[in-house]
């Protein structure tokens, strides 16, 4: 492993750290305002944070004489993709933010990361053969979820149920990105999705009647900026740079560390301790996530 590869790996670890701590700031932001208001403001901050990056890339392409020829000149695909992906993000992030209000950030981090297990399973819709490792990861994920979230009456806790639905939402979000991203500029589509997510969240905020006061915004400004600028803007950019020299399987494994960081910082900052049973559930889910990313025979052959 050369120096650049080591730097790329460390960059992805930093992304996982940023995303893991974001759960803590989401919980803090939820103390000051509704889930819809918080998501509207953080998504707006994220979209604005990507505008300078888009301007920089456009200037760089013009200077090198490679203006957007790398992508099809179909603005309709870019706009439709941004709207659809943004709508999926709005639903998933709303479920996540609502769920965090009823559970710990550590549990939320691990249950959200189940999307890494769900994504391959939804490949059945596209008639893809699933390797045995995926089915093993699904089984382990169910076992881990049981230890982490089920109570004595075999019912899923309210907050954990919302986060589980959020994981399915992020699964749809990832599959939609997989469909649209090869056809358009990924950073521009991401910027559009954040503004769409902000708009839809604002609509639900108005319907819910939970418009935040300036005082509430002031109290939550650090969580809003961290989750918007750092988690979305900086995290997204570092992910793109880091994955340039890191294989997708290894990258996914490194990024899944966000769930571990969520538990760690939930304990350090919010003093949210997990029981031995819940920690066992976290461990089993993490093993499931890692197994889901192991290369199959088809991947190795490619």
């Amino acid at each position: 492993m050369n120096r650049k590869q080591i730097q790329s790996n460390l960059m992805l670890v930093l992304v996982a750290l940023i995303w893991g701590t974001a759960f803590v700031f989401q919980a803090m932001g939820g103390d000051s305002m509704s889930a819809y208001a918080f998501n509207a403001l953080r998504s707006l901050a994220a979209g604005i944070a990507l505008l300078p990056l888009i301007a920089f890339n456009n200037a760089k392409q013009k200077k090198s004489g490679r203006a957007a020829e790398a992508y099809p000149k179909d603005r309709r695909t870019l706009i439709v993709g941004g709207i659809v992906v943004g709508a999926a993000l709005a639903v998933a992030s709303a479920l996540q933010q609502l769920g965090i209000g009823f559970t710990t950030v550590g549990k939320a981090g691990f249950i959200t990361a189940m999307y890494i297990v769900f994504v391959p399973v939804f490949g059945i819709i596209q008639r893809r053969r699933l390797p045995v490792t995926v089915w093993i990861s699904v089984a382990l994920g169910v076992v881990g979820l049981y230890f982490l979230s089920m109570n004595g009456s075999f019912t899923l806790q309210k907050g954990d149920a919302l986060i589980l639905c959020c994981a399915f939402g992020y699964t749809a979000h990832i599959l939609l990105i997989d469909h649209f991203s090869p056809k358009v500029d990924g950073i521009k589509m991401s910027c559009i999705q954040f503004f769409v997510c902000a708009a839809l969240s604002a609509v639900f905020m108005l319907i819910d009647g939970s418009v935040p006061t300036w005082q509430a915004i002031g109290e939550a400004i650090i969580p809003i900026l961290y989750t918007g600028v750092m988690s979305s803007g900086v995290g997204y950019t570092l992910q793109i740079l880091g994955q340039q020299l890191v294989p997708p399987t290894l990258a996914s494994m490194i990024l899944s560390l966000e769930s571990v960081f969520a538990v760690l910082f939930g304990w350090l900052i919010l003093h949210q301790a997990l029981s031995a049973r819940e920690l066992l559930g976290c461990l089993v889910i993490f093993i499931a996530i890692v197994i889901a990313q192991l290369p199959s025979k088809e991947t190795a052959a490619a």
Side-chain angles (χ1 to χ4, degrees):
M1 185 179 294
N2 59 39
R3 180 183 174 186
K4 288 187 176 180
Q5 288 174 322
I6 293 175
Q7 289 177 339
S8 295
N9 285 335
L10 292 175
M11 202 174 291
L12 292 177
V13 172
L14 178 58
V15 173
L17 174 64
I18 292 172
W19 287 350
T21 52
F23 285 96
V24 174
F25 285 98
Q26 284 178 247
M28 294 167 62
D31 292 335
S32 301
M33 62 184 66
S34 72
Y36 304 120
F38 183 77
N39 282 339
L41 292 171
R42 69 174 287 200
S43 297
L44 179 62
I48 293 173
L50 287 181
L51 291 177
L53 180 60
I54 292 173
F56 174 78
N57 282 343
N58 287 342
K60 188 176 179 181
Q61 288 175 347
K62 288 181 179 180
K63 187 175 180 180
S64 62
R66 292 184 298 104
E69 269 78 19
Y71 299 94
K73 297 179 180 179
D74 189 353
R75 288 191 176 183
R76 183 174 181 275
T77 302
L78 175 63
I79 294 173
V80 170
I83 292 174
V84 173
V85 172
L89 179 62
V91 173
S93 59
L95 288 169
Q96 184 184 66
Q97 190 64 23
L98 288 168
I100 286 177
F102 297 97
T103 189
T104 65
V105 297
K107 293 170 72 173
F110 272 91
I111 298 174
T112 298
M114 286 285 287
Y115 67 78
I116 297 176
V117 176
F118 296 152
V119 168
V121 174
F122 274 79
I124 294 175
I125 299 174
Q126 299 172 313
R127 297 182 180 179
R128 297 177 182 174
R129 285 188 65 183
L130 297 182
V132 177
T133 51
V134 171
W135 293 116
I136 293 174
S137 69
V138 171
L140 286 174
V142 172
V143 173
L145 188 63
Y146 170 78
F147 285 121
L148 186 62
S149 305
M150 293 292 185
N151 59 24
S153 60
F154 293 95
T155 56
L156 197 61
Q157 303 289 339
K158 179 179 179 179
D160 300 337
L162 288 169
I163 298 294
L164 183 61
C165 291
C166 142
F168 282 107
Y170 278 120
T171 298
H173 181 250
I174 290 171
L175 293 174
L176 288 168
I177 287 177
D178 181 64
H179 174 75
F180 284 103
S181 61
K183 306 173 184 178
V184 298
D185 185 315
I187 298 178
K188 289 181 180 179
M189 186 177 75
S190 183
C191 186
I192 293 173
Q193 77 160 342
F194 287 132
F195 285 126
V196 169
C197 181
L200 290 176
S201 298
V203 170
F204 283 109
M205 175 188 71
L206 293 173
I207 294 174
D208 188 50
S210 56
V211 179
T213 63
W214 286 110
Q215 181 181 351
I217 294 175
E219 293 174 352
I221 192 64
I222 293 179
I224 290 170
L225 292 178
Y226 187 90
T227 56
V229 177
M230 289 296 294
S231 181
S232 299
V234 175
Y236 178 84
T237 304
L238 288 179
Q239 181 189 13
I240 293 174
L241 296 175
Q243 285 194 227
Q244 289 178 350
L245 295 176
V246 180
T249 300
L250 178 58
S252 297
M253 289 183 182
I254 295 173
L255 292 174
S256 67
L257 288 173
E258 68 170 301
S259 55
V260 178
F261 287 125
V263 171
L264 177 61
F265 285 96
W267 172 63
L268 288 175
I269 299 176
L270 300 179
H271 308 292
Q272 294 180 339
L274 298 180
S275 66
R277 177 190 173 97
E278 291 171 334
L279 287 172
L280 176 60
C282 289
L283 176 61
V284 174
I285 289 178
F286 185 70
I287 293 173
I289 291 169
V290 172
I291 291 177
Q293 300 308 306
L294 292 177
S296 62
K297 291 182 179 179
E298 291 82 357
T299 304

